[in-house]
Amino acid sequence: MSTNTISLKILDKEYQVACPPEEQAALMQAGQFLDQKMRGIRTSGKVIGLERIAVMAALNISYELLQAKQNVTPTEAETQTVKRIGDKVEQTLQRCKQLDIS
């Protein structure tokens, strides 16, 4: 399976993420969604710090996902796609955390 590297901009920071070509559009959409959520949290002024904003966004998105699951049962393909995107976001956050520590 081939992968391409795409660039996601979240809260004015650029992240490089490897992704199969057929999932690029979905990953870009997920990145834009995450950026919007994180900007909303930052704008509220109640949460300070990139890591805390990311955690709050993840909690909000997880809550929304769980609420949506109660109303509709996703297909196996949808579940796997969400898991892959979540894994990629987690990997990117870990790389950023390592860069901040260095």
Side-chain angles (χ1 to χ4, degrees), residues 21-47:
E22 65 274 8
E23 293 180 13
Q24 286 181 0
L27 184 58
M28 292 293 290
Q29 188 176 12
Q32 291 169 348
F33 182 75
L34 178 59
D35 181 61
Q36 290 172 349
K37 289 289 187 181
M38 290 178 69
R39 285 180 185 282
I41 292 167
R42 183 177 67 181
T43 301
S44 77
K46 296 178 183 176
V47 180

Side-chain angles (χ1 to χ4, degrees), residues 1-66:
M1 172 170 37
S2 69
T3 60
N4 296 337
T5 300
I6 63 168
S7 179
L8 298 174
K9 195 167 188 177
I10 301 170
L11 278 187
D12 303 321
K13 285 185 129 182
E14 193 119 347
Y15 299 94
Q16 301 295 318
V17 181
C19 178
E22 65 274 8
E23 293 180 13
Q24 286 181 0
L27 184 58
M28 292 293 290
Q29 188 176 12
Q32 291 169 348
F33 182 75
L34 178 59
D35 181 61
Q36 290 172 349
K37 289 289 187 181
M38 290 178 69
R39 285 180 185 282
I41 292 167
R42 183 177 67 181
T43 301
S44 77
K46 296 178 183 176
V47 180
I48 299 173
L50 181 60
E51 187 173 323
R52 289 176 186 247
I53 290 171
V55 169
M56 291 306 299
L59 284 171
N60 289 338
I61 293 168
S62 296
Y63 176 79
E64 291 171 8
L65 176 63
L66 290 172

